[in-house]
């Protein structure tokens, strides 16, 4: 039963990464591509972590993997946000919202 759960989790991880790669290849704008990049930071690594914990348990390797995936969860959105801000600065010359983008 454990092997089936590990195989399913790893299959979901691979499928998530393939969808993320396909989104990167197929989306037209850089902003759209960033959404698929952020999915690559979260879904796949979390499923690999879950598979590792199911197979090995919470030991030294499990705790190191939790720390690594936790770092991805924390650093991934920061990197995507910084990239989006840099993209906006390159495309528009500034980061602040334009008049037509402001909320009423």
């Amino acid at each position: 039963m454990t092997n089936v759960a590990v195989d399913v989790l790893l299959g979901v991880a691979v499928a998530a990464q393939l969808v993320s790669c396909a989104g990167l290849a197929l989306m037209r704008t850089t902003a759209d591509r960033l959404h698929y990049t952020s999915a690559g930071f979260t879904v796949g690594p979390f499923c690999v972590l879950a598979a590792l914990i199911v197979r090995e348990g919470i030991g030294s390797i499990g705790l190191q993997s939790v720390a690594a995936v936790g770092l991805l969860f924390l650093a991934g959105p920061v990197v995507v946000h910084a990239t989006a801000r840099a993209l906006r600065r390159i495309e528009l010359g500034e980061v602040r919202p334009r008049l037509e983008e402001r909320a009423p």
Side-chain angles (χ1 to χ4, degrees):
M1 186 65 176
T2 302
N3 287 335
V4 173
V6 169
D7 291 342
V8 167
L9 286 167
L10 291 177
V12 170
V14 169
Q17 295 305 100
L18 288 175
V19 168
S20 181
C21 290
L24 283 171
L26 298 175
M27 291 295 114
R28 291 183 221 182
T29 67
T30 306
D32 290 337
R33 289 180 185 147
L34 282 175
H35 292 290
Y36 287 92
T37 303
S38 62
F41 284 131
T42 54
V43 178
F46 179 75
C47 290
V48 171
L49 173 65
L52 186 117
I53 289 174
V54 167
R55 165 86 39 114
E56 300 296 327
I58 298 288
S60 174
I61 294 173
L63 291 176
Q64 289 175 359
S65 300
V66 168
V69 171
L71 182 64
L72 273 176
F73 277 168
L74 293 175
V78 173
V79 170
V80 170
H81 183 75
T83 305
R85 286 179 63 94
L87 172 69
R88 183 168 175 92
R89 185 176 298 257
I90 289 169
E91 289 181 349
L92 301 177
E94 63 182 350
V95 179
R96 292 179 299 165
R98 295 179 294 184
L99 269 141
E100 62 268 10
E101 295 175 335
R102 293 189 183 152

